[in-house]
PDB file of all heavy atoms in Angstrom:
ATOM      1  N   ARG Y  20      62.888  85.384 130.768  1.00 96.00           N
ATOM      2  CA  ARG Y  20      64.239  86.110 131.007  1.00 96.00           C
ATOM      3  C   ARG Y  20      63.927  87.497 130.886  1.00 96.00           C
ATOM      4  O   ARG Y  20      63.080  87.986 130.155  1.00 96.00           O
ATOM      5  CB  ARG Y  20      65.222  85.660 129.834  1.00 96.00           C
ATOM      6  CG  ARG Y  20      65.593  84.221 130.050  1.00 96.00           C
ATOM      7  CD  ARG Y  20      66.682  83.795 129.025  1.00 96.00           C
ATOM      8  NE  ARG Y  20      67.710  84.697 129.103  1.00 96.00           N
ATOM      9  CZ  ARG Y  20      68.308  85.152 127.993  1.00 96.00           C
ATOM     10  NH1 ARG Y  20      67.971  84.887 126.748  1.00 96.00           N
ATOM     11  NH2 ARG Y  20      69.390  86.037 128.107  1.00 96.00           N
ATOM     12  N   LEU Y  21      64.832  88.275 131.429  1.00 98.00           N
ATOM     13  CA  LEU Y  21      64.889  89.795 131.146  1.00 98.00           C
ATOM     14  C   LEU Y  21      65.992  89.973 130.167  1.00 98.00           C
ATOM     15  O   LEU Y  21      67.090  89.581 130.268  1.00 98.00           O
ATOM     16  CB  LEU Y  21      65.155  90.553 132.414  1.00 98.00           C
ATOM     17  CG  LEU Y  21      63.994  90.402 133.382  1.00 98.00           C
ATOM     18  CD1 LEU Y  21      64.453  91.221 134.781  1.00 98.00           C
ATOM     19  CD2 LEU Y  21      62.725  90.991 133.035  1.00 98.00           C
ATOM     20  N   LEU Y  22      65.644  90.734 129.036  1.00 98.00           N
ATOM     21  CA  LEU Y  22      66.555  91.095 127.992  1.00 98.00           C
ATOM     22  C   LEU Y  22      67.039  92.506 128.157  1.00 98.00           C
ATOM     23  O   LEU Y  22      66.153  93.448 128.180  1.00 98.00           O
ATOM     24  CB  LEU Y  22      65.874  90.791 126.566  1.00 98.00           C
ATOM     25  CG  LEU Y  22      65.182  89.427 126.367  1.00 98.00           C
ATOM     26  CD1 LEU Y  22      64.462  89.418 125.140  1.00 98.00           C
ATOM     27  CD2 LEU Y  22      66.328  88.457 126.351  1.00 98.00           C
ATOM     28  N   ARG Y  23      68.282  92.651 128.027  1.00 98.00           N
ATOM     29  CA  ARG Y  23      68.884  93.976 128.029  1.00 98.00           C
ATOM     30  C   ARG Y  23      68.868  94.478 126.640  1.00 98.00           C
ATOM     31  O   ARG Y  23      68.555  93.734 125.701  1.00 98.00           O
ATOM     32  CB  ARG Y  23      70.224  93.958 128.555  1.00 98.00           C
ATOM     33  CG  ARG Y  23      70.428  93.462 130.048  1.00 98.00           C
ATOM     34  CD  ARG Y  23      69.720  94.319 131.019  1.00 98.00           C
ATOM     35  NE  ARG Y  23      70.197  95.660 131.037  1.00 98.00           N
ATOM     36  CZ  ARG Y  23      71.237  96.168 131.813  1.00 98.00           C
ATOM     37  NH1 ARG Y  23      71.831  95.326 132.684  1.00 98.00           N
ATOM     38  NH2 ARG Y  23      71.488  97.355 131.762  1.00 98.00           N
ATOM     39  N   LEU Y  24      69.103  95.742 126.470  1.00 98.00           N
ATOM     40  CA  LEU Y  24      68.880  96.482 125.094  1.00 98.00           C
ATOM     41  C   LEU Y  24      69.641  95.760 123.991  1.00 98.00           C
ATOM     42  O   LEU Y  24      69.170  95.514 122.895  1.00 98.00           O
ATOM     43  CB  LEU Y  24      69.401  97.907 125.267  1.00 98.00           C
ATOM     44  CG  LEU Y  24      69.174  98.719 123.972  1.00 98.00           C
ATOM     45  CD1 LEU Y  24      67.717  98.704 123.460  1.00 98.00           C
ATOM     46  CD2 LEU Y  24      69.694 100.116 124.188  1.00 98.00           C
ATOM     47  N   PRO Y  25      70.956  95.386 124.122  1.00 98.00           N
ATOM     48  CA  PRO Y  25      71.593  94.754 123.113  1.00 98.00           C
ATOM     49  C   PRO Y  25      70.807  93.460 122.533  1.00 98.00           C
ATOM     50  O   PRO Y  25      70.911  93.199 121.351  1.00 98.00           O
ATOM     51  CB  PRO Y  25      73.037  94.439 123.593  1.00 98.00           C
ATOM     52  CG  PRO Y  25      73.254  95.512 124.705  1.00 98.00           C
ATOM     53  CD  PRO Y  25      71.852  95.668 125.238  1.00 98.00           C
ATOM     54  N   ASP Y  26      70.388  92.767 123.541  1.00 98.00           N
ATOM     55  CA  ASP Y  26      69.702  91.481 123.198  1.00 98.00           C
ATOM     56  C   ASP Y  26      68.329  91.846 122.529  1.00 98.00           C
ATOM     57  O   ASP Y  26      67.992  91.139 121.504  1.00 98.00           O
ATOM     58  CB  ASP Y  26      69.291  90.720 124.379  1.00 98.00           C
ATOM     59  CG  ASP Y  26      70.547  90.254 125.146  1.00 98.00           C
ATOM     60  OD1 ASP Y  26      71.458  89.711 124.449  1.00 98.00           O
ATOM     61  OD2 ASP Y  26      70.530  90.226 126.358  1.00 98.00           O
ATOM     62  N   VAL Y  27      67.628  93.006 122.822  1.00 98.00           N
ATOM     63  CA  VAL Y  27      66.432  93.263 122.230  1.00 98.00           C
ATOM     64  C   VAL Y  27      66.645  93.806 120.825  1.00 98.00           C
ATOM     65  O   VAL Y  27      65.981  93.374 119.840  1.00 98.00           O
ATOM     66  CB  VAL Y  27      65.611  94.327 123.069  1.00 98.00           C
ATOM     67  CG1 VAL Y  27      64.470  94.835 122.284  1.00 98.00           C
ATOM     68  CG2 VAL Y  27      65.269  93.773 124.397  1.00 98.00           C
ATOM     69  N   GLU Y  28      67.749  94.552 120.596  1.00 98.00           N
ATOM     70  CA  GLU Y  28      68.110  94.972 119.327  1.00 98.00           C
ATOM     71  C   GLU Y  28      68.405  93.687 118.423  1.00 98.00           C
ATOM     72  O   GLU Y  28      68.024  93.759 117.151  1.00 98.00           O
ATOM     73  CB  GLU Y  28      69.469  95.861 119.397  1.00 98.00           C
ATOM     74  CG  GLU Y  28      69.120  97.277 119.888  1.00 98.00           C
ATOM     75  CD  GLU Y  28      70.367  98.134 120.116  1.00 98.00           C
ATOM     76  OE1 GLU Y  28      71.516  97.421 120.332  1.00 98.00           O
ATOM     77  OE2 GLU Y  28      70.336  99.305 119.893  1.00 98.00           O
ATOM     78  N   ALA Y  29      69.219  92.805 118.907  1.00 98.00           N
ATOM     79  CA  ALA Y  29      69.532  91.628 118.073  1.00 98.00           C
ATOM     80  C   ALA Y  29      68.212  90.818 117.778  1.00 98.00           C
ATOM     81  O   ALA Y  29      68.260  90.395 116.592  1.00 98.00           O
ATOM     82  CB  ALA Y  29      70.524  90.701 118.821  1.00 98.00           C
ATOM     83  N   ARG Y  30      67.347  90.702 118.594  1.00 98.00           N
ATOM     84  CA  ARG Y  30      66.143  89.884 118.345  1.00 98.00           C
ATOM     85  C   ARG Y  30      65.217  90.537 117.474  1.00 98.00           C
ATOM     86  O   ARG Y  30      64.459  89.876 116.634  1.00 98.00           O
ATOM     87  CB  ARG Y  30      65.506  89.419 119.584  1.00 98.00           C
ATOM     88  CG  ARG Y  30      66.327  88.525 120.521  1.00 98.00           C
ATOM     89  CD  ARG Y  30      65.716  88.124 121.751  1.00 98.00           C
ATOM     90  NE  ARG Y  30      64.638  87.149 121.521  1.00 98.00           N
ATOM     91  CZ  ARG Y  30      64.095  86.398 122.504  1.00 98.00           C
ATOM     92  NH1 ARG Y  30      64.546  86.495 123.808  1.00 98.00           N
ATOM     93  NH2 ARG Y  30      63.165  85.557 122.226  1.00 98.00           N
ATOM     94  N   THR Y  31      65.094  91.974 117.556  1.00 98.00           N
ATOM     95  CA  THR Y  31      64.158  92.533 116.640  1.00 98.00           C
ATOM     96  C   THR Y  31      64.518  93.210 115.424  1.00 98.00           C
ATOM     97  O   THR Y  31      63.875  93.498 114.540  1.00 98.00           O
ATOM     98  CB  THR Y  31      63.444  93.750 117.641  1.00 98.00           C
ATOM     99  OG1 THR Y  31      64.488  94.650 117.827  1.00 98.00           O
ATOM    100  CG2 THR Y  31      62.830  93.200 118.890  1.00 98.00           C
TER     101      THR Y  31
END
Side-chain angles (χ1 to χ4, degrees):
R20 292 183 53 224
L21 292 176
L22 303 174
R23 298 297 300 273
L24 183 60
D26 297 321
V27 174
E28 288 178 325
R30 289 178 80 164
T31 63

